[in-house]
Amino acid sequence: LRPGEASLPGGGLGGGGLVVSPTALASCQGDVDQLVVGCEDGVIYCASRKGTSYSLGPPIQAHKGPVTSIHVHPASEAPQADLSHLAASSSMDCTCRVWDRKTGRNIVTLEGGSSEYVLDVQWSPVHAGLLATGDAAGLLQLWDLSTSTDAPVEEEEE
């Protein structure tokens, strides 16, 4: 393996491992056996640990550039409001995407009008629909997905 690469079992031809170049990693709140891995080629994998090995779900072509950050929606105490199957990812393709970890389906793509790399994304721990993104120019954007996905509700430049 070269620096920056990891070999994960469960992929490749002839039962060999799949070599990926991870650039972002997220764990699922309350479930240490579930991981989400973002890669240099824009692909995201959901991984499940069983014993000492991981198995990968199918690749999700999430972005057109390297994934810079992933955040799995925090689990909720209320089952009707549990959105822990959702994840948000940011990328050097200048977008943030919200997608369903169970189906791999892209739910929404957030493009805040900036031409900078989106470097980080985080869900609010207290407001289910609130998401924050930060880009390479120092622009912080707050998105309230319960009201609009067309534009952020708040922006703050460094």
Side-chain angles (χ1 to χ4, degrees):
L1 294 179
R2 294 179 299 226
E5 292 186 342
S7 180
L8 299 173
L13 297 173
L18 173 66
V19 177
V20 298
S21 296
T23 54
L25 179 69
S27 59
C28 302
Q29 181 180 336
D31 189 355
V32 296
D33 293 329
Q34 300 290 315
L35 294 174
V36 183
V37 181
C39 299
E40 185 176 60
D41 58 1
V43 173
I44 291 176
Y45 295 94
C46 294
S48 300
R49 183 175 67 153
K50 293 193 175 35
T52 59
S53 66
Y54 282 90
S55 62
L56 293 179
I60 301 166
Q61 187 60 54
H63 291 279
K64 295 177 182 164
V67 177
T68 56
S69 179
I70 298 174
H71 193 217
V72 176
H73 200 288
S76 172
E77 298 284 326
Q80 71 274 15
D82 185 15
L83 300 174
S84 62
H85 63 285
L86 298 180
S89 57
S90 60
S91 171
M92 290 181 156
D93 68 3
C94 305
T95 66
C96 171
R97 296 179 190 263
V98 176
W99 46 279
D100 187 319
R101 291 187 305 119
K102 293 179 182 177
T103 65
R105 188 174 65 86
N106 181 51
I107 295 170
V108 66
T109 300
L110 304 174
E111 299 180 71
S114 172
S115 60
E116 296 292 332
Y117 299 155
V118 182
L119 300 178
D120 200 12
V121 60
Q122 293 288 306
W123 290 103
S124 167
V126 294
H127 186 291
L130 195 62
L131 189 67
T133 60
D135 75 13
L139 178 65
L140 171 69
Q141 294 181 315
L142 296 179
W143 300 82
D144 186 350
L145 304 183
S146 64
T147 60
S148 174
T149 59
D150 295 329
V153 293
E154 190 69 40
E155 291 185 331
E156 184 68 37
E157 290 190 57
E158 185 176 58

